[in-house]
Amino acid sequence: MKKFDFVVVGGGIFGCYSALYLARKGASVLLLEKENRLFQKASLVNQARLHSGYHYPRSVATAALSDEHKQRFTTEHKAFVNDHFEKFYAIDRFGSLTDALQFERFCDYLNIRCERVSAHPLFNFHRLEALYRTEEHSFDPVKLGEYYSTQVNASSAISLSLQSSIIHARPQGNAWAMQIQQQGGVVTEVESPVVINATYAALNGVNRVFQLPELAVTHEISEIAMLRSAAFADKGLTVMDGPFGSIMPFGLSGWLSLSSVAYTHHKISYEALPRFECQTADVPDCRPEAPGICTECPNRPVSSAPKMLAQMQQYFSDQVQFDHLFSWFTIKTKLKASHIDDGRPTEISKLSNRPDYYCLFSGKINSIYEIEKML
Ligand SMILES: Cc1cc2nc3c(=O)[nH]c(=O)nc-3n(C[C@H](O)[C@H](O)[C@H](O)COP(=O)(O)OP(=O)(O)OC[C@H]3O[C@@H](n4cnc5c(N)ncnc54)[C@H](O)[C@@H]3O)c2cc1C
């Protein structure tokens, strides 16, 4: 039976950051990842928005928290942040859940830049009630993944086990005794006084193995479409707030990421586990208890990029055209409570004491530092 100070389950940014943080404090950490490489799910397939608060006019708490961590995240990940593009926010003239006055008061309250633009050749003001020049950056998920993989591999205090999942766990005194299944069905036994579940879409599946309570969440198979545009390079637009969308630089890649509230989400599962009808027998690597990599799945949805583009195109003048390059898919998990205010809190629940068990649910990338408050 191998012993570790901590077992961290999940090799996205939250699991990697937790493992590195603990290792730097002198702890021995076992980091388990179901796939054959790190950073393949939500930490890779997202809109790469380094949230400054603008996105949450209906959740001041989420907005304030975004701003709290933005500066530190930017400083510590400087090489992977794109801070040299022009970012606009706009309010649709029709059917928005916020209006210009509300948005201006909200930005004023948060003390974030919001300058009204009354004319601009790239935008269609017949559709826009208001357009604002703001300050928002994006991070590069591909480069972040490379960086965290290198850091994890270089740490002598972290034992990384890929293609591994916990199949059985029980308390044994003040520690968890666990069986870990690795590639080829090999089962090993490990023991640790603390387990951290950072598996995002799979968090309830892992909680079940430990017979611990589940979080009330929903799951959506989501698409991020990548675009290129000559006229709109180095610029971003987010139209608020309701069934609208966003086009903005995907970190330093040279691509623009596109998402729209109406079409990004293909299928929704309201169950505790992400159960979808595409999880058929021919994709054994994807089950509700442990979902797979949607982009690589033969059953992934047909792209909605043409519909998303048609929707977003209405906000631009005729001189702005976009080409769809490709799309990535993943499961987006949301707390059911977020439905009320569209907030994206990061929730850390301690579900067991001695042995300890923490369940991390992350609302956005730059809230990784919340982990430090907990540990
Ligand atoms: C479509 C979309 C758009 C988003 N846009 C933004 C944005 O613009 N800005 C922002 O800040 N945030 C955004 N987010 C949120 C952000 O991406 C997530 O909060 C964050 O990436 C979650 O990181 P994580 O490490 O918790 O999860 P993940 O990156 O999903 O990592 C979880 C890991 O756990 C592994 N795993 C699962 N089950 C097991 C198991 N049983 N055993 C071992 N390993 C397992 C998975 O394979 C995966 O590697 C977005 C999310 C989505 C889905």
Side-chain angles (χ1 to χ4, degrees), residues 277-287 296-300:
E277 74 273 16
C278 48
Q279 288 159 328
T280 51
D282 53 330
V283 285
D285 230 20
C286 181
R287 294 169 291 113
E296 295 175 1
C297 178
N299 296 346
R300 69 182 175 275

Side-chain angles (χ1 to χ4, degrees), residues 188-205:
T188 54
E189 309 230 327
V190 302
E191 191 185 289
S192 176
V194 192
V195 169
I196 298 170
N197 175 4
T199 56
Y200 190 66
L203 56 86
N204 282 330

Side-chain angles (χ1 to χ4, degrees), residues 166-358:
I166 300 171
I167 53 168
H168 186 258
R170 66 184 162 81
Q172 189 170 277
N174 282 340
W176 292 106
M178 292 162 273
Q179 285 186 341
I180 292 170
Q181 186 159 36
Q182 289 163 304
Q183 194 191 9
V186 178
V187 175
T188 54
E189 309 230 327
V190 302
E191 191 185 289
S192 176
V194 192
V195 169
I196 298 170
N197 175 4
T199 56
Y200 190 66
L203 56 86
N204 282 330
V206 177
N207 286 2
R208 270 190 195 180
V209 176
F210 288 78
Q211 297 180 14
L212 290 170
E214 292 168 357
L215 265 62
V217 289
T218 58
H219 309 275
E220 300 165 348
I221 298 186
S222 309
E223 174 178 2
I224 297 289
M226 299 299 176
L227 314 175
R228 221 189 277 285
S229 168
F232 206 65
D234 297 326
K235 291 183 179 49
L237 173 70
T238 298
V239 183
M240 305 292 301
D241 171 24
F244 308 119
S246 195
I247 293 179
M248 61 188 286
F250 189 70
L252 302 158
S253 63
W255 309 322
L256 296 163
S257 66
L258 162 66
S259 73
S260 89
V261 174
Y263 302 114
T264 284
H265 308 118
H266 286 260
K267 294 172 186 175
I268 302 186
S269 163
Y270 294 99
E271 295 184 33
L273 303 181
R275 189 180 305 280
F276 296 100
E277 74 273 16
C278 48
Q279 288 159 328
T280 51
D282 53 330
V283 285
D285 230 20
C286 181
R287 294 169 291 113
E289 301 75 31
I293 301 174
C294 298
T295 305
E296 295 175 1
C297 178
N299 296 346
R300 69 182 175 275
V302 174
S303 171
S304 290
K307 289 184 198 162
M308 295 199 257
L309 257 177
Q311 187 199 3
M312 287 304 287
Q313 198 76 56
Q314 301 174 82
Y315 303 117
F316 293 95
S317 64
D318 290 345
Q319 61 175 287
V320 182
Q321 294 300 322
F322 299 95
D323 294 319
H324 176 218
L325 304 174
F326 59 89
S327 289
W328 283 344
F329 298 84
T330 197
I331 297 173
K332 183 171 199 165
T333 299
K334 293 178 183 169
L335 294 174
K336 279 191 177 156
S338 300
H339 200 62
I340 299 163
D341 63 2
D342 202 33
R344 291 285 178 275
T346 288
E347 229 181 66
I348 303 174
S349 328
K350 190 170 189 189
L351 300 182
S352 167
N353 266 318
R354 293 176 171 238
D356 291 350
Y357 183 98
Y358 296 92

Side-chain angles (χ1 to χ4, degrees), residues 10 13-14 33-34 41-43 47 49 200 202 362 364-365:
I13 193 165
F14 276 73
E33 168 52 48
K34 170 187 176 281
K41 307 256 170 86
S43 298
Q47 196 151 37
R49 183 192 311 274
Y200 190 66
S362 63
K364 58 190 137 10
I365 296 269

